[in-house]
Every structure is written in C-alpha cells, then in structure tokens.
Short mmCIF file of all heavy atoms in Angstrom, two decimals:
data_model
loop_
_atom_site.label_atom_id
_atom_site.label_comp_id
_atom_site.label_asym_id
_atom_site.label_seq_id
_atom_site.Cartn_x
_atom_site.Cartn_y
_atom_site.Cartn_z
N LYS C 159 0.81 -1.24 0.00
CA LYS C 159 0.00 0.00 0.00
C LYS C 159 0.84 1.28 0.00
O LYS C 159 0.42 2.32 0.51
CB LYS C 159 -0.96 0.02 1.21
CG LYS C 159 -1.93 -1.16 1.28
CD LYS C 159 -3.02 -1.04 0.23
CE LYS C 159 -4.09 -2.10 0.37
NZ LYS C 159 -3.71 -3.41 -0.13
N LYS C 160 2.03 1.18 -0.57
CA LYS C 160 2.87 2.39 -0.70
C LYS C 160 2.43 3.16 -1.93
O LYS C 160 2.13 2.57 -2.96
CB LYS C 160 4.34 2.01 -0.80
CG LYS C 160 4.90 1.47 0.50
CD LYS C 160 6.36 1.13 0.36
CE LYS C 160 6.89 0.55 1.66
NZ LYS C 160 8.28 0.14 1.56
N ARG C 161 2.42 4.49 -1.80
CA ARG C 161 2.09 5.32 -2.96
C ARG C 161 3.39 5.84 -3.56
O ARG C 161 4.19 6.45 -2.87
CB ARG C 161 1.21 6.49 -2.53
CG ARG C 161 -0.20 6.07 -2.09
CD ARG C 161 -0.89 7.18 -1.35
NE ARG C 161 -0.15 7.55 -0.14
CZ ARG C 161 -0.44 8.60 0.62
NH1 ARG C 161 -1.42 9.40 0.31
NH2 ARG C 161 0.28 8.85 1.70
N PHE C 162 3.59 5.56 -4.83
CA PHE C 162 4.80 6.02 -5.51
C PHE C 162 4.51 6.13 -6.99
O PHE C 162 3.53 5.58 -7.49
CB PHE C 162 5.98 5.05 -5.25
CG PHE C 162 5.71 3.65 -5.71
CD1 PHE C 162 6.08 3.22 -6.99
CD2 PHE C 162 5.10 2.72 -4.86
CE1 PHE C 162 5.84 1.92 -7.41
CE2 PHE C 162 4.85 1.41 -5.29
CZ PHE C 162 5.23 1.02 -6.57
N SER C 163 5.36 6.86 -7.69
CA SER C 163 5.22 6.96 -9.15
C SER C 163 6.54 6.58 -9.80
O SER C 163 7.60 6.67 -9.17
CB SER C 163 4.80 8.37 -9.56
OG SER C 163 5.74 9.31 -9.07
N VAL C 164 6.45 6.16 -11.05
CA VAL C 164 7.65 5.64 -11.74
C VAL C 164 7.85 6.32 -13.09
O VAL C 164 6.90 6.52 -13.84
CB VAL C 164 7.53 4.10 -11.96
CG1 VAL C 164 8.77 3.55 -12.63
CG2 VAL C 164 7.27 3.38 -10.63
N TYR C 165 9.10 6.67 -13.36
CA TYR C 165 9.51 7.11 -14.70
C TYR C 165 10.25 5.94 -15.33
O TYR C 165 11.15 5.37 -14.73
CB TYR C 165 10.46 8.31 -14.62
CG TYR C 165 9.82 9.59 -14.15
CD1 TYR C 165 9.84 9.95 -12.80
CD2 TYR C 165 9.19 10.45 -15.06
CE1 TYR C 165 9.26 11.13 -12.37
CE2 TYR C 165 8.61 11.63 -14.63
CZ TYR C 165 8.64 11.97 -13.28
OH TYR C 165 8.04 13.13 -12.87
N VAL C 166 9.84 5.57 -16.54
CA VAL C 166 10.49 4.45 -17.24
C VAL C 166 11.07 4.96 -18.55
O VAL C 166 10.37 5.61 -19.33
CB VAL C 166 9.48 3.32 -17.56
CG1 VAL C 166 10.19 2.14 -18.22
CG2 VAL C 166 8.76 2.85 -16.31
N THR C 167 12.34 4.65 -18.79
CA THR C 167 12.94 5.05 -20.07
C THR C 167 12.38 4.16 -21.19
O THR C 167 12.08 2.99 -20.98
CB THR C 167 14.46 4.88 -20.04
OG1 THR C 167 14.75 3.56 -19.58
CG2 THR C 167 15.13 5.89 -19.16
N GLU C 168 12.28 4.75 -22.35
CA GLU C 168 11.78 4.04 -23.53
C GLU C 168 12.65 2.81 -23.85
O GLU C 168 12.18 1.76 -24.24
CB GLU C 168 11.79 5.02 -24.70
CG GLU C 168 11.04 4.58 -25.91
CD GLU C 168 11.09 5.65 -26.99
OE1 GLU C 168 12.13 6.33 -27.15
OE2 GLU C 168 10.09 5.82 -27.67
N SER C 169 13.95 2.98 -23.67
CA SER C 169 14.95 1.93 -23.84
C SER C 169 15.02 1.37 -25.27
O SER C 169 14.66 0.24 -25.54
CB SER C 169 14.73 0.78 -22.85
OG SER C 169 15.78 -0.15 -22.93
N GLN C 170 15.51 2.20 -26.15
CA GLN C 170 15.78 1.78 -27.54
C GLN C 170 17.06 0.94 -27.56
O GLN C 170 17.83 1.00 -26.63
CB GLN C 170 15.92 3.02 -28.43
CG GLN C 170 14.64 3.80 -28.60
CD GLN C 170 13.56 3.02 -29.35
OE1 GLN C 170 13.78 1.95 -29.89
NE2 GLN C 170 12.35 3.57 -29.37
N PRO C 171 17.33 0.09 -28.53
CA PRO C 171 16.65 0.00 -29.82
C PRO C 171 15.39 -0.88 -29.86
O PRO C 171 14.74 -0.93 -30.89
CB PRO C 171 17.72 -0.59 -30.73
CG PRO C 171 18.57 -1.41 -29.82
CD PRO C 171 18.56 -0.72 -28.50
N ASP C 172 15.04 -1.57 -28.76
CA ASP C 172 13.87 -2.46 -28.84
C ASP C 172 12.65 -1.94 -28.08
O ASP C 172 11.63 -2.63 -27.98
CB ASP C 172 14.23 -3.87 -28.37
CG ASP C 172 14.76 -3.88 -26.93
OD1 ASP C 172 14.79 -2.80 -26.31
OD2 ASP C 172 15.14 -4.96 -26.44
N ALA C 173 12.76 -0.72 -27.52
CA ALA C 173 11.64 -0.08 -26.80
C ALA C 173 11.07 -0.98 -25.70
O ALA C 173 9.86 -1.02 -25.47
CB ALA C 173 10.55 0.35 -27.78
N ALA C 174 11.96 -1.66 -24.97
CA ALA C 174 11.52 -2.58 -23.90
C ALA C 174 10.86 -1.85 -22.75
O ALA C 174 10.09 -2.44 -21.99
CB ALA C 174 12.72 -3.38 -23.40
N GLY C 175 11.16 -0.55 -22.61
CA GLY C 175 10.56 0.24 -21.53
C GLY C 175 9.05 0.33 -21.63
O GLY C 175 8.35 0.46 -20.62
N ARG C 176 8.53 0.24 -22.86
CA ARG C 176 7.06 0.31 -23.05
C ARG C 176 6.38 -0.89 -22.41
O ARG C 176 5.29 -0.78 -21.85
CB ARG C 176 6.74 0.36 -24.54
CG ARG C 176 7.13 1.68 -25.18
CD ARG C 176 6.93 1.66 -26.68
NE ARG C 176 7.58 2.82 -27.29
CZ ARG C 176 7.79 2.95 -28.59
NH1 ARG C 176 7.39 1.99 -29.41
NH2 ARG C 176 8.39 4.02 -29.09
N GLN C 177 7.05 -2.04 -22.50
CA GLN C 177 6.53 -3.27 -21.87
C GLN C 177 6.48 -3.10 -20.34
O GLN C 177 5.52 -3.51 -19.69
CB GLN C 177 7.43 -4.45 -22.25
CG GLN C 177 6.89 -5.80 -21.83
CD GLN C 177 7.86 -6.95 -22.13
OE1 GLN C 177 8.86 -6.77 -22.83
NE2 GLN C 177 7.58 -8.11 -21.61
N MET C 178 7.53 -2.46 -19.80
CA MET C 178 7.59 -2.20 -18.36
C MET C 178 6.47 -1.25 -17.94
O MET C 178 5.79 -1.47 -16.93
CB MET C 178 8.97 -1.59 -18.02
CG MET C 178 9.21 -1.41 -16.54
SD MET C 178 9.44 -3.00 -15.72
CE MET C 178 10.06 -2.45 -14.13
N ALA C 179 6.29 -0.19 -18.72
CA ALA C 179 5.25 0.80 -18.42
C ALA C 179 3.87 0.15 -18.42
O ALA C 179 3.04 0.40 -17.55
CB ALA C 179 5.31 1.94 -19.43
N GLU C 180 3.65 -0.73 -19.40
CA GLU C 180 2.35 -1.43 -19.52
C GLU C 180 2.11 -2.32 -18.30
O GLU C 180 1.01 -2.36 -17.75
CB GLU C 180 2.36 -2.27 -20.80
CG GLU C 180 0.99 -2.69 -21.30
CD GLU C 180 0.01 -1.55 -21.48
OE1 GLU C 180 0.37 -0.52 -22.11
OE2 GLU C 180 -1.10 -1.66 -20.94
N ALA C 181 3.16 -3.02 -17.87
CA ALA C 181 3.05 -3.92 -16.71
C ALA C 181 2.75 -3.12 -15.43
O ALA C 181 1.97 -3.56 -14.58
CB ALA C 181 4.35 -4.71 -16.54
N LEU C 182 3.36 -1.94 -15.30
CA LEU C 182 3.12 -1.10 -14.12
C LEU C 182 1.71 -0.51 -14.12
O LEU C 182 1.08 -0.37 -13.07
CB LEU C 182 4.17 0.02 -14.06
CG LEU C 182 5.58 -0.42 -13.66
CD1 LEU C 182 6.59 0.68 -13.92
CD2 LEU C 182 5.64 -0.85 -12.20
N ARG C 183 1.21 -0.18 -15.31
CA ARG C 183 -0.17 0.34 -15.40
C ARG C 183 -1.17 -0.72 -14.93
O ARG C 183 -2.18 -0.40 -14.31
CB ARG C 183 -0.48 0.78 -16.84
CG ARG C 183 0.20 2.08 -17.20
CD ARG C 183 -0.25 2.63 -18.55
NE ARG C 183 0.60 3.74 -18.93
CZ ARG C 183 1.53 3.71 -19.87
NH1 ARG C 183 1.72 2.59 -20.57
NH2 ARG C 183 2.28 4.77 -20.15
N LYS C 184 -0.87 -1.98 -15.22
CA LYS C 184 -1.75 -3.07 -14.77
C LYS C 184 -1.77 -3.18 -13.25
O LYS C 184 -2.72 -3.71 -12.67
CB LYS C 184 -1.30 -4.40 -15.39
CG LYS C 184 -1.68 -4.53 -16.86
CD LYS C 184 -1.17 -5.82 -17.46
CE LYS C 184 -1.48 -5.87 -18.96
NZ LYS C 184 -0.81 -7.01 -19.62
N LEU C 185 -0.70 -2.71 -12.62
CA LEU C 185 -0.63 -2.70 -11.15
C LEU C 185 -1.21 -1.40 -10.57
O LEU C 185 -1.15 -1.17 -9.36
CB LEU C 185 0.83 -2.83 -10.69
CG LEU C 185 1.58 -4.12 -11.02
CD1 LEU C 185 3.05 -3.99 -10.66
CD2 LEU C 185 0.95 -5.32 -10.32
N ASN C 186 -1.75 -0.56 -11.45
CA ASN C 186 -2.29 0.76 -11.07
C ASN C 186 -1.24 1.69 -10.46
O ASN C 186 -1.53 2.47 -9.55
CB ASN C 186 -3.48 0.61 -10.10
CG ASN C 186 -4.65 -0.08 -10.76
OD1 ASN C 186 -4.99 0.23 -11.90
ND2 ASN C 186 -5.25 -1.04 -10.06
N VAL C 187 -0.02 1.56 -10.94
CA VAL C 187 1.07 2.43 -10.50
C VAL C 187 1.18 3.59 -11.51
O VAL C 187 1.28 3.34 -12.71
CB VAL C 187 2.42 1.65 -10.44
CG1 VAL C 187 3.58 2.60 -10.17
CG2 VAL C 187 2.36 0.57 -9.37
N PRO C 188 1.17 4.86 -11.03
CA PRO C 188 1.34 5.99 -11.96
C PRO C 188 2.69 5.90 -12.66
O PRO C 188 3.73 5.79 -12.00
CB PRO C 188 1.28 7.22 -11.05
CG PRO C 188 0.65 6.74 -9.78
CD PRO C 188 1.00 5.30 -9.64
N VAL C 189 2.69 5.90 -13.99
CA VAL C 189 3.94 5.71 -14.74
C VAL C 189 4.04 6.71 -15.88
O VAL C 189 3.05 7.05 -16.52
CB VAL C 189 4.05 4.24 -15.24
CG1 VAL C 189 2.90 3.88 -16.15
CG2 VAL C 189 5.36 3.97 -15.93
N THR C 190 5.26 7.20 -16.10
CA THR C 190 5.54 8.13 -17.20
C THR C 190 6.67 7.56 -18.03
O THR C 190 7.74 7.23 -17.50
CB THR C 190 5.96 9.52 -16.65
OG1 THR C 190 4.99 9.95 -15.71
CG2 THR C 190 6.11 10.53 -17.78
N GLU C 191 6.44 7.43 -19.34
CA GLU C 191 7.52 6.97 -20.23
C GLU C 191 8.34 8.18 -20.64
O GLU C 191 7.79 9.23 -20.99
CB GLU C 191 6.93 6.33 -21.48
CG GLU C 191 6.32 4.96 -21.22
CD GLU C 191 5.73 4.35 -22.48
OE1 GLU C 191 6.46 4.22 -23.48
OE2 GLU C 191 4.53 4.02 -22.46
N VAL C 192 9.68 8.04 -20.57
CA VAL C 192 10.55 9.15 -20.96
C VAL C 192 11.54 8.70 -22.03
O VAL C 192 11.87 7.51 -22.12
CB VAL C 192 11.32 9.74 -19.75
CG1 VAL C 192 10.37 10.33 -18.73
CG2 VAL C 192 12.22 8.70 -19.09
N LEU C 193 12.01 9.63 -22.81
CA LEU C 193 13.02 9.33 -23.82
C LEU C 193 14.35 8.96 -23.14
O LEU C 193 14.66 9.47 -22.06
CB LEU C 193 13.26 10.54 -24.73
CG LEU C 193 12.10 11.00 -25.61
CD1 LEU C 193 12.43 12.35 -26.22
CD2 LEU C 193 11.81 9.98 -26.69
N ASP C 194 15.12 8.11 -23.80
CA ASP C 194 16.44 7.76 -23.26
C ASP C 194 17.31 9.01 -23.07
O ASP C 194 18.09 9.10 -22.13
CB ASP C 194 17.16 6.78 -24.19
CG ASP C 194 16.46 5.42 -24.25
OD1 ASP C 194 15.70 5.12 -23.31
OD2 ASP C 194 16.66 4.68 -25.22
N ALA C 195 17.16 9.94 -23.99
CA ALA C 195 17.96 11.16 -23.94
C ALA C 195 17.50 12.13 -22.85
O ALA C 195 18.17 13.12 -22.57
CB ALA C 195 17.91 11.87 -25.29
N ALA C 196 16.34 11.83 -22.21
CA ALA C 196 15.79 12.74 -21.19
C ALA C 196 16.14 12.32 -19.75
O ALA C 196 15.62 12.90 -18.80
CB ALA C 196 14.27 12.81 -21.34
N VAL C 197 17.03 11.34 -19.61
CA VAL C 197 17.40 10.85 -18.28
C VAL C 197 17.91 11.98 -17.38
O VAL C 197 17.47 12.14 -16.24
CB VAL C 197 18.46 9.71 -18.38
CG1 VAL C 197 19.10 9.43 -17.04
CG2 VAL C 197 17.81 8.45 -18.92
N GLY C 198 18.84 12.78 -17.90
CA GLY C 198 19.38 13.90 -17.11
C GLY C 198 18.31 14.91 -16.74
O GLY C 198 18.31 15.47 -15.64
N TYR C 199 17.35 15.10 -17.64
CA TYR C 199 16.26 16.06 -17.42
C TYR C 199 15.33 15.63 -16.28
O TYR C 199 14.95 16.45 -15.45
CB TYR C 199 15.47 16.22 -18.73
CG TYR C 199 14.30 17.16 -18.64
CD1 TYR C 199 14.47 18.53 -18.75
CD2 TYR C 199 13.01 16.67 -18.44
CE1 TYR C 199 13.39 19.40 -18.66
CE2 TYR C 199 11.92 17.51 -18.36
CZ TYR C 199 12.11 18.88 -18.47
OH TYR C 199 11.04 19.73 -18.38
N VAL C 200 14.98 14.33 -16.25
CA VAL C 200 14.02 13.88 -15.23
C VAL C 200 14.67 13.56 -13.88
O VAL C 200 13.97 13.49 -12.86
CB VAL C 200 13.20 12.63 -15.69
CG1 VAL C 200 12.39 12.93 -16.91
CG2 VAL C 200 14.07 11.41 -15.90
N LEU C 201 15.99 13.39 -13.86
CA LEU C 201 16.63 12.96 -12.62
C LEU C 201 16.46 13.92 -11.46
O LEU C 201 16.41 13.51 -10.31
CB LEU C 201 18.11 12.65 -12.85
CG LEU C 201 18.39 11.14 -12.79
CD1 LEU C 201 19.67 10.78 -13.46
CD2 LEU C 201 18.38 10.62 -11.37
N GLU C 202 16.36 15.22 -11.77
CA GLU C 202 16.19 16.17 -10.66
C GLU C 202 14.83 16.01 -9.98
O GLU C 202 14.64 16.43 -8.84
CB GLU C 202 16.39 17.61 -11.14
CG GLU C 202 15.43 18.07 -12.20
CD GLU C 202 15.77 19.47 -12.72
OE1 GLU C 202 16.96 19.78 -12.89
OE2 GLU C 202 14.82 20.22 -12.94
N LYS C 203 13.88 15.35 -10.68
CA LYS C 203 12.54 15.15 -10.10
C LYS C 203 12.45 13.89 -9.24
O LYS C 203 11.53 13.74 -8.45
CB LYS C 203 11.49 15.01 -11.22
CG LYS C 203 11.38 16.17 -12.17
CD LYS C 203 10.30 15.83 -13.21
CE LYS C 203 10.29 16.85 -14.34
NZ LYS C 203 9.31 16.47 -15.38
N VAL C 204 13.37 12.92 -9.46
CA VAL C 204 13.21 11.62 -8.80
C VAL C 204 13.98 11.53 -7.49
O VAL C 204 14.89 12.30 -7.23
CB VAL C 204 13.63 10.44 -9.74
CG1 VAL C 204 12.89 10.51 -11.06
CG2 VAL C 204 15.12 10.40 -9.96
#
C-alpha cells in the first residue's frame, strides 16, 4: 500500500521500456515513459 510513481525510459533499440510501463499500469502504478535522452532532465525530479 505504498504510494509512488515511476519514470520508465523508452529503452531503444527495442523499446523494452514500453513493456515495463504497460506492466506497471496493470498494477495501477502511476507511470511516465521518458526518452532515453531525457534521463538527465528527469533525474532532478526523482
């Protein structure tokens, strides 16, 4: 019953991060997909 949110990188070249995001949505966990190049940008938020 912990409340948390997750940022998942897209993870190219096979976009495996989308599979992770989908699995987390099934668990009702708030999830945001981010570009691989946006890691530095989102890190200040996490």
Side-chain angles (χ1 to χ4, degrees):
K159 301 287 187 282
K160 290 181 182 177
R161 291 165 299 172
F162 59 93
S163 57
V164 181
Y165 291 94
V166 183
T167 51
E168 193 178 37
S169 187
Q170 292 295 352
D172 58 3
R176 290 175 192 167
Q177 188 184 349
M178 186 71 168
E180 199 53 49
L182 287 167
R183 286 188 189 106
K184 285 178 184 170
L185 296 172
N186 295 317
V187 172
V189 60
T190 308
E191 287 179 56
V192 297
L193 295 169
D194 293 339
V197 166
Y199 178 82
V200 299
L201 252 160
E202 60 185 39
K203 301 179 190 176
V204 306

